[in-house]
Amino acid sequence: MLKPQTKGLLLDTTRCIGCGACALACKERNKLPKTSDDVLKDELSDKTYSVVKQVGPRYVRRMCMHCVTPSCASACPVAALEKSAAGPVIYHESKCMGCRYCMIACPFGIPKYEWEKKAPLVRKCDLCADRLEKGLKTGCATACPTGATSFGDRDALIAEAKERFRANPGRYNEHIYGIEEVGGTSVLIISDGKAEELGYPAGLDGTAPAFLTWRVLNIIPDIVMTSAVLLGGIYWIRNRRDEVEAAEGSHHETPKEH
Amino acid sequence: MPKFEVPRFTFWRGVLLVILALGTYSTVVRVFQGLAGSTNLSDSFPWGIWIGFDILCGVALAAGGFTISATVYIFNLEKFRPIVRPAILTAFLGYVLVIVALLYDLGRPWNVWHPLVMWNPHSVMFEVGWCVTLYTTVLALEFSPIVLERFKMTKTLHVMHFIMPLLVVLGVLLSTLHQSSLGSFYLIVPTKLHALWYSPLIPLYFFLTALTLGCAMTIVESFLSHRAFGKQLEMELLVPLGRVALLILALTSVIRFADFRHRGILGLPFQATYESRLWLAEMLIGVLAPGVLLAIPKVRKHTTGLFLAALLIVMGVVMNRLNVSITGMERSSGQIYVPAFTEIAVTLSVVGVGFLIFALAVKFLPVFPEHEMKEARPIVVPAGGNVSGQPIRSLPVPALVVVALAFFGAVALGADGVRRREVDPGPPAPSATKPELAAALASFTPPAEIVFPQAPDSPGPASFRHASHVDASAPDCLSCHGNTYSFLGRKEAPPAGQMHDTKHCGGCHDGTSAFAIEADCSPCHKAE
């Protein structure tokens, strides 16, 4: 269950002026090198955790959504990715063995890899986890001059989004992206356009993908115990038949195949 | 080894040598240039053939181990005993090579042991890691009697014989679990894997195809051993295996039909798309053709016919695994993936090393134990006799037609599919015009005033006001921020007396971009 104090972001594309402050504040905070001359032409990579791009007639941010039940954290065999109590999905570098299953699992295609390095790591936004601990906002929310990116408790952000819908009738496509999608995300998006018009995956199920694998993994102990008894039983019966036959001195052919 | 086989063998040895040389070169590239230099993987396509073939197919191709050992030890079908050892050897080799291949693919292979101590029970990969580790250990133990026998360690041998049934049950459980778990990997990507392959039943499909493959691989292997080592071809064992394979093929097909019907995608395979064409090719090669061949008793009992059917099943499962891991993932990734030369070379080397070690093991260890052959059975093809089996032209005509159709049909479908290969267009393209910003600018609020600490010799307090520096109708944050000035505030106040230099106010207040600092203090410093 989601703790009420879980932090998140509310992205409002109707307020975004495409200034790029969020993207460069992110670079500053994470000490990342410059990767593009035009901030709006930049792409997510191991050196860029957050971008803002023009998609159709509006500017849209792209970054880790910090899912409530993250697919990446569920997929990671060594628990290197973890949903922290504060909200961010954080990455424990020292645990990672580089299988990249998190990249496969993420429905938003967020985790990026240091392909060029000899000891590569996964790279993505961590919602400025260290700043949150100090009671600060994320870098991007600090830099945003229009409130297109607002930081706060997830519940409060949902309330704020609904308030904006109420106060500006007709301005929004009144759907908060991230309440239901993939079981909920800590980064919420409101816009005048639909998800697919923003380049975000549309029609995502309300079930977290992590649940799809967990449902199967969950029954494994039952399968193991049942099968063990079953196989042991078959072994016992098949071999006992031999013993009985040996005792009776009869020599049947090996039983017919199943 | 029959004498006349030497030239053929030399040719294959030459091929193996070339492959291993290329593999060695590729290994050097992988070590010194990382994944970027040795693969065509990318952020949008992070798993290639090292996972799709080496791991997914590698594990599946080792399925003969658990299929045959369960048949002999658990179902007590003694007559299959002669082929237990080669099957176990293949499985053991398969798993060791899968682990080796995994080390190539992992970004940090030296951490490969982490899942054993850093647990995440929610992860399919974690479960597979444990299963593979345990099952490889079990296989090593199952294989150990062969080594013990060779070195006449009878005491240990007795212990091994005693615990063998337990090991087999454990092995069957472990392999069943992770054969299906390799499919479960993909349960987590309902929006990424194409609907032809994504299914809630994918773990079941992976398990059933592994079972079929277990039978097929045993047939193929017996045939190859018979060709290479002049071993006896146990047709009276292999024909029933063919029958079992047919049964599971049929069962899988019925389940798949019901699954497609249930999901309402019965028409999907017949669309003119890349995925549909490759799906049809997979079904033709791996299900339909071998199904028809095995259903004809005359073909099933024909050495070459049975071998062909088994070979088709093997190819079909390999196609399936590659379709799941590559074909089915391409469209959503927005990326077409073609493996790099080095990826292919490593993959071929792993297979080549498998063949090499198998051949060496057969030469130096009692893999084909003669004393386990009980009383004489009718021998279809005597060892060392006609080692090539029945000639293919003696197959019934319908069978030949099926094989030819399947082969050419699959090639045609595949070629047409590749021609239609396309990926997701991605997000909509930006329109030529800039977005309308009037509404957004209404919520623009210049950041707060920054009051600077006063130096002792300062003429008065100074501050920076965004409001007087920013054009609120077209704010351009990056003209100052992002290089010279911080977005996130300084850790400490700027050192007194340095405010006039080019790193601070002097950067712009130089008399060209803005009024010069030296001219007059009053615009900035408010006299007390």
Side-chain angles (χ1 to χ4, degrees):
Chain A
M1 222 24 247
L2 202 52
K3 295 190 181 65
Q5 74 271 25
T6 302
K7 301 292 181 199
L9 295 173
L10 175 63
L11 312 181
D12 182 342
T13 70
T14 71
R15 290 189 174 203
C16 183
I17 56 170
C19 70
C22 51
L24 284 176
C26 176
K27 289 250 182 204
E28 182 189 328
R29 182 261 165 179
N30 291 300
K31 300 185 178 60
L32 297 167
K34 187 178 175 178
T35 45
S36 169
D37 288 332
D38 179 354
V39 73
L40 294 171
K41 294 276 184 291
D42 218 348
E43 296 286 353
L44 289 182
S45 74
D46 59 325
K47 300 181 188 73
T48 309
Y49 306 161
S50 167
V51 290
V52 57
K53 297 181 85 79
Q54 190 186 340
V55 184
R58 58 185 77 78
Y59 295 111
V60 181
R61 285 193 67 192
R62 205 167 299 286
M63 57 182 291
C64 175
M65 303 293 282
H66 298 281
C67 303
V68 174
T69 312
S71 308
C72 59
S74 156
C76 179
V78 291
L81 288 152
E82 181 199 350
K83 176 76 173 176
S84 64
V89 175
I90 50 175
Y91 176 58
H92 305 288
E93 297 178 5
S94 60
K95 289 185 174 182
C96 179
M97 60 177 191
C99 74
R100 309 187 297 284
Y101 189 25
C102 52
M103 302 172 72
I104 295 282
C106 175
F108 302 101
I110 293 298
K112 304 296 178 197
Y113 208 58
E114 296 177 323
W115 297 100
E116 306 287 337
K117 297 204 175 167
K118 288 209 173 56
L121 289 165
V122 171
R123 291 292 176 210
K124 72 171 194 69
C125 150
D126 70 343
L127 204 65
C128 293
D130 59 332
R131 289 174 61 89
L132 266 55
E133 274 175 29
K134 293 181 200 141
L136 298 165
K137 296 179 184 182
T138 62
C140 53
T142 306
C144 180
T146 62
T149 296
S150 352
F151 173 83
D153 290 344
R154 189 171 180 266
D155 306 5
L157 293 172
I158 292 171
E160 165 70 14
K162 287 177 178 162
E163 173 55 28
R164 286 187 204 172
F165 290 168
R166 198 195 54 74
N168 305 282
R171 174 165 172 158
Y172 293 95
N173 163 45
E174 300 199 2
H175 170 80
I176 305 173
Y177 189 91
I179 291 187
E180 295 285 336
E181 282 80 3
V182 295
T185 58
S186 296
V187 174
L188 306 158
I189 307 172
I190 53 175
S191 174
D192 56 337
K194 292 193 175 71
E196 55 268 39
E197 295 172 285
L198 311 179
Y200 269 83
L204 289 177
D205 206 69
T207 314
F211 181 72
L212 299 172
T213 42
W214 178 237
R215 227 173 20 191
V216 172
L217 284 175
N218 213 3
I219 56 171
I220 280 182
D222 306 346
I223 293 177
V224 169
M225 286 186 290
T226 315
S227 315
V229 170
L230 203 66
L231 289 170
I234 293 170
Y235 171 78
W236 183 65
I237 289 169
R238 298 294 321 225
N239 286 275
R240 181 173 156 68
R241 197 180 293 176
D242 276 11
E243 287 163 27
V244 170
E245 279 173 9
E248 289 173 357
S250 61
H251 291 286
H252 292 299
E253 277 301 297
T254 15
K256 275 209 295 286
E257 303 146 33
H258 45 292
Chain B
M1 229 168 290
K3 273 205 176 75
F4 65 83
E5 281 196 336
V6 172
R8 204 170 50 81
F9 236 79
T10 315
F11 166 73
W12 285 113
R13 281 182 188 165
V15 170
L16 185 64
L17 215 59
V18 170
I19 287 175
L20 292 185
L22 296 175
T24 309
Y25 161 79
S26 305
T27 305
V28 172
V29 174
R30 167 68 187 90
V31 170
F32 289 98
Q33 297 188 16
L35 287 163
S38 57
T39 70
N40 281 347
L41 299 173
S42 64
D43 282 332
S44 39
F45 214 89
W47 279 2
I49 57 166
W50 285 352
I51 297 284
F53 184 85
D54 304 23
I55 309 289
L56 296 188
C57 297
V59 168
L61 291 169
F66 84 94
T67 315
I68 301 303
S69 57
T71 307
V72 173
Y73 291 101
I74 295 173
F75 291 94
N76 198 19
L77 295 168
E78 272 300 322
K79 65 173 185 179
F80 285 92
R81 190 172 282 275
I83 52 174
V84 167
R85 287 190 168 187
I88 296 283
L89 172 62
T90 312
F92 179 53
L93 269 179
Y95 273 85
V96 170
L97 292 171
V98 159
I99 293 168
V100 169
L102 180 68
L103 296 178
Y104 277 87
D105 187 77
L106 287 180
R108 304 182 147 228
W110 51 91
N111 289 345
V112 69
W113 52 275
H114 278 188
L116 301 182
V117 292
M118 302 170 189
W119 286 33
N120 179 12
H122 281 254
S123 166
V124 184
M125 182 81 76
F126 168 77
E127 189 243 326
V128 169
W130 265 94
C131 278
V132 168
T133 309
L134 290 172
Y135 187 50
T136 308
T137 314
V138 167
L139 281 169
L141 289 171
E142 284 183 4
F143 183 70
S144 66
I146 305 178
V147 182
L148 296 172
E149 222 168 83
R150 171 75 179 75
F151 297 103
K152 309 241 179 325
M153 300 163 77
T154 31
K155 263 209 174 116
T156 333
L157 203 55
H158 278 303
V159 175
M160 287 309 304
H161 277 304
F162 181 70
I163 62 166
M164 193 52 87
L166 182 72
L167 282 180
V168 171
V169 170
L170 201 62
V172 170
L173 277 176
L174 288 168
S175 47
T176 302
L177 278 182
H178 74 262
Q179 288 287 3
S180 59
S181 292
L182 291 180
S184 306
F185 274 162
Y186 290 89
L187 279 174
I188 207 163
V189 286
T191 54
K192 287 182 164 184
L193 180 56
H194 195 278
L196 284 167
W197 293 282
Y198 184 87
S199 161
L201 298 179
I202 199 172
L204 182 65
Y205 290 146
F206 266 59
F207 173 62
L208 290 174
T209 43
L211 271 185
T212 322
L213 192 59
C215 302
M217 274 305 282
T218 309
I219 294 168
V220 169
E221 223 173 278
S222 304
F223 198 88
L224 292 180
S225 302
H226 162 76
R227 288 284 299 256
F229 314 115
K231 298 294 173 197
Q232 177 171 294
L233 197 56
E234 314 266 356
M235 279 307 276
E236 72 281 10
L237 303 185
L238 302 183
V239 174
L241 279 182
R243 213 179 290 138
V244 172
L246 174 64
L247 197 68
I248 304 169
L249 273 184
L251 176 70
T252 315
S253 302
V254 170
I255 294 175
R256 188 176 274 122
F257 180 81
D259 174 32
F260 272 43
R261 208 185 122 251
H262 183 73
R263 288 190 289 135
I265 55 165
L266 281 174
L268 197 55
F270 307 103
Q271 292 179 349
T273 63
Y274 168 50
E275 290 88 354
S276 297
R277 292 285 190 264
L278 267 84
W279 188 87
L280 284 177
E282 177 197 317
M283 290 301 138
L284 194 62
I285 287 280
V287 180
L288 198 67
V292 170
L293 287 182
L294 291 171
I296 305 170
K298 223 175 156 172
V299 179
R300 203 168 51 227
K301 295 191 174 106
H302 184 289
T303 48
T304 309
L306 185 66
F307 173 72
L308 274 177
L311 201 60
L312 285 168
I313 290 177
V314 172
M315 282 163 65
V317 177
V318 168
M319 280 168 80
N320 170 261
R321 298 305 191 260
L322 291 175
N323 276 338
V324 168
S325 58
I326 291 162
T327 314
M329 294 293 283
E330 275 183 329
R331 188 184 294 266
S332 64
S333 74
Q335 175 99 25
I336 286 174
Y337 162 82
V338 180
F341 162 76
T342 34
E343 285 178 86
I344 296 169
V346 166
T347 297
L348 288 177
S349 294
V350 168
V351 177
V353 166
F355 273 100
L356 184 67
I357 298 177
F358 188 90
L360 289 173
V362 168
K363 200 167 174 170
F364 295 109
L365 295 169
V367 174
F368 294 96
E370 303 309 319
H371 75 270
E372 284 206 356
M373 309 270 181
K374 289 183 175 171
E375 67 284 355
R377 282 181 306 267
I379 293 164
V380 179
V381 183
N386 174 10
V387 283
S388 48
Q390 290 155 280
I392 194 161
R393 61 175 182 276
S394 66
L395 271 173
V397 174
L400 287 169
V401 171
V402 167
V403 172
L405 276 181
F407 185 75
F408 291 115
V411 169
L413 282 167
D416 185 53
V418 170
R419 232 176 12 89
R420 297 173 190 277
R421 175 139 65 164
E422 55 189 22
V423 295
D424 247 4
S431 54
T433 51
K434 285 273 173 219
E436 185 50 57
L437 295 180
L441 282 170
S443 50
F444 174 76
T445 39
E449 182 176 13
I450 301 165
V451 181
F452 299 118
Q454 217 178 328
D457 56 349
S458 159
S463 65
F464 176 85
R465 286 184 303 281
H466 269 97
S468 56
H469 285 80
V470 178
D471 173 5
S473 67
D476 181 5
C477 310
L478 306 192
S479 59
C480 307
H481 286 289
N483 33 41
T484 315
Y485 303 100
S486 164
F487 267 113
L488 305 177
R490 300 170 183 286
K491 294 219 163 30
E492 63 270 339
Q498 287 184 25
M499 289 303 293
H500 292 186
D501 67 23
T502 51
K503 276 222 165 91
H504 302 98
C505 307
C508 300
H509 288 279
D510 55 1
T512 49
S513 320
F515 63 85
I517 286 175
E518 274 64 32
D520 178 11
C521 303
S522 62
C524 311
H525 292 274
K526 305 285 173 265
E528 307 277 336

